[in-house]
Amino acid sequence: MTGQIYRIGRGTPPEPVNVSFDPADHRRCQNLLTWFERGGEPGATLLIDDWKLCAASHPGLADSVRWIAATARNAQVIIRAGALSDVPTGLRSLVRLNFLALHGLSTFTRALAWKGRWWKVPIGLDSNGEPVVVELTHFVDGKWRTGSHLSVTAPDAFRSLVLGLMTTQSPKMFQAIFIDAHDTDVFAGLDQAPHVQAHHRNAARNPGRLADVLLAESQRRLEVVGNTWTIFHHRGFDQVLPQLLVCVTGFEDIKAAEPSFASDLAIIAKDVGQSGMQLLLDCPHEAAELQIDDCTVPADLDEMAVSLPLLMHQDEPPPDFFTLHDMPNRFDQPHAWRPRPIAMQYRVAVGADVYGQPVEIDLKSSALQDGMGPHGEVVAPAERRAEALRALVLGQMLRHSPDELQVVLIALHGAAVFDGLADAPHVRAVDLLEDHEQRTRTLAANGYRSIWDYRAARSNGAELGPLPELLVCVDGLAEVPPEFLDVLRTLGQAGRTYGQHLLLSGPAPLGLDFLSYRLELTGQGWTRRISRSVENLVLPTDLDDVTRSLPGVMRAASS
């Protein structure tokens, strides 16, 4: 901005201005707007700092700004806003969003920011003030999702896209390789982010070696994914393989030094659906089918490119229970027990990973409903098992009403591991074999082969009574009576069909072939194990307090 800057806004401005008026000072603000409506002074700028706040104090602000922007010949209007949606459509071309606001954030924390999906990311605003959004995936034949390869010729837009992905995706879901034909500062600041696998400078000197590295990584990923249809389906089986964005600047110079480099990238590009390796090039190329036009990037892009990658390395405190479950710090029955899509049913967070993102357990059958269950175990010393059991069981209770989930608590050696949980309305005392036989009769009498067929028919209007899932929690299985072990084996073999789930706990792995997930306390802390997947996690910090209060609150709400 040049010339005199006249600001309407509250607090200290982020950059120097000549005069600032608080929105509450209606008279002086109106005088300023009238002066600009009459032409102001040559080169002057009217800065509306925080549109939502200022518009709330001045109902006619939109009309005044619209008039000033349309008639002023030697003055300009700039609007700052926390979100683009705060500003009327016709004025959005005047908006200068900061980088975090472009991504719907006011501040950056890993737990809050790294929740984006790998579908699209905004990089700036077009000439009408509308977001320019890059779509990172597309559907092949309208059936299955695959990654897109991109070319972005404008350096600022290139950097905005990469930083946007780093800001919204955790390193578990997105990583990058930087390739610079020379030794430039195009990746300055960005290369400090935890997402960066490697930063290759002066790549034009030996592009053949670099191509071999990329081809080897592509092959490694193809072997990991195996026969899974796409990398996105592979994640559904709980083997997380991050998308890998290969960012190349000076591509024409590298290609001139080694023409085969382009053909090697084309080979990698063809396997994107399985390998998850996508290309981001700084010039058009046949392998990069999606070309991104230039746009107006956030004014603070360079500043954020330096500060945000460093923030991404800072430790953050573990979440409390309700924060982990994205709920206010209390039990809200209509919100907590609301209907959910099938994919989200019986899938709840038990803790957070190193990046502050939820680590979940899905009780649904891995064979029938793409879940992680139906049966699992908690492995830890007796004095520590209660932590993980509470995290899992309380999470399921918080998300499911007693009509959807019932819980049986069995402590074989009289330990206090389940203290507090028994107050919840979900807890029942049932004969396990009798419950199994009753479920078998109910399904057979109504002509259904599994509880999921039964539940789907009920949700479609069939006159059927509720048939909740049954979570059977048994602690202290180091020594178990043979006859009770036979009962557990019966449920273990048929539970996925009839909605019966076992959660067994003891000091060592039980070695039962029907167990599909495990929460285990190791020397490095708690881990979640599902097949070959191992995730480190921390449990909520306030489980003791929640165990004392939440079950009783839920019982009162459901009575």
Side-chain angles (χ1 to χ4, degrees), residues 22 66 137 150 182 199-200 428 455 481 485 495:
D22 191 288
R66 193 174 289 112
T137 63
L150 318 166
H182 306 291
H199 184 182
H200 300 280
R428 299 285 187 270
R455 186 171 291 121
L485 185 58

Side-chain angles (χ1 to χ4, degrees), residues 451-499:
I451 190 172
W452 286 93
D453 295 334
Y454 182 96
R455 186 171 291 121
R458 187 169 183 264
S459 65
N460 289 329
E463 294 185 2
L464 301 168
L467 188 57
E469 302 283 309
L470 185 71
L471 177 59
V472 180
C473 306
V474 184
D475 179 64
L477 279 172
E479 298 179 4
V480 57
E483 61 274 14
F484 186 61
L485 185 58
D486 289 341
V487 173
L488 296 183
R489 288 191 180 279
T490 297
L491 300 189
Q493 293 164 3
R496 70 182 186 184
T497 300
Y498 300 106

Side-chain angles (χ1 to χ4, degrees), residues 236-397:
F237 292 98
D238 307 297
Q239 300 291 312
V240 176
L241 189 64
Q243 295 296 120
L244 181 59
L245 190 65
V246 181
C247 308
V248 185
T249 62
F251 179 67
E252 291 287 1
D253 292 345
I254 299 176
K255 189 169 62 172
E258 180 58 72
S260 65
F261 184 79
S263 58
D264 289 335
L265 286 191
I267 293 172
I268 293 170
K270 290 179 181 178
D271 292 327
V272 60
Q274 283 71 43
S275 72
M277 291 180 67
Q278 295 179 233
L279 306 180
L280 174 60
L281 310 179
D282 68 343
C283 66
H285 184 264
E286 60 183 11
E289 68 273 16
L290 184 59
Q291 297 186 27
I292 310 303
D293 296 329
D294 195 6
C295 61
T296 301
V297 301
D300 61 345
L301 174 63
D302 287 340
E303 175 189 342
M304 291 293 101
V306 173
S307 61
L308 283 180
L310 298 179
L311 278 177
M312 295 171 188
H313 289 278
Q314 293 188 2
D315 291 335
E316 295 179 3
D320 60 45
F321 180 80
F322 285 102
T323 298
L324 178 67
H325 291 278
D326 284 327
M327 291 188 181
N329 193 26
R330 59 184 175 81
F331 176 70
D332 180 353
Q333 180 181 354
H335 177 70
W337 288 349
R338 69 188 186 277
R340 288 181 171 81
I342 289 178
M344 300 306 297
Q345 293 173 12
Y346 306 104
R347 185 182 186 101
V348 300
V350 293
D353 66 14
V354 66
Y355 304 119
Q357 302 309 297
V359 176
E360 298 172 319
I361 291 291
D362 189 338
L363 296 183
K364 297 192 296 294
S365 167
S366 59
L368 297 180
Q369 300 98 25
D370 289 340
M372 305 170 187
H375 312 302
E377 63 182 336
V378 172
V379 176
E383 66 273 13
R384 298 293 302 274
R385 291 198 293 271
E387 304 169 20
L389 289 167
R390 290 170 176 175
L392 197 159
V393 175
L394 283 171
Q396 291 287 347
M397 290 175 173

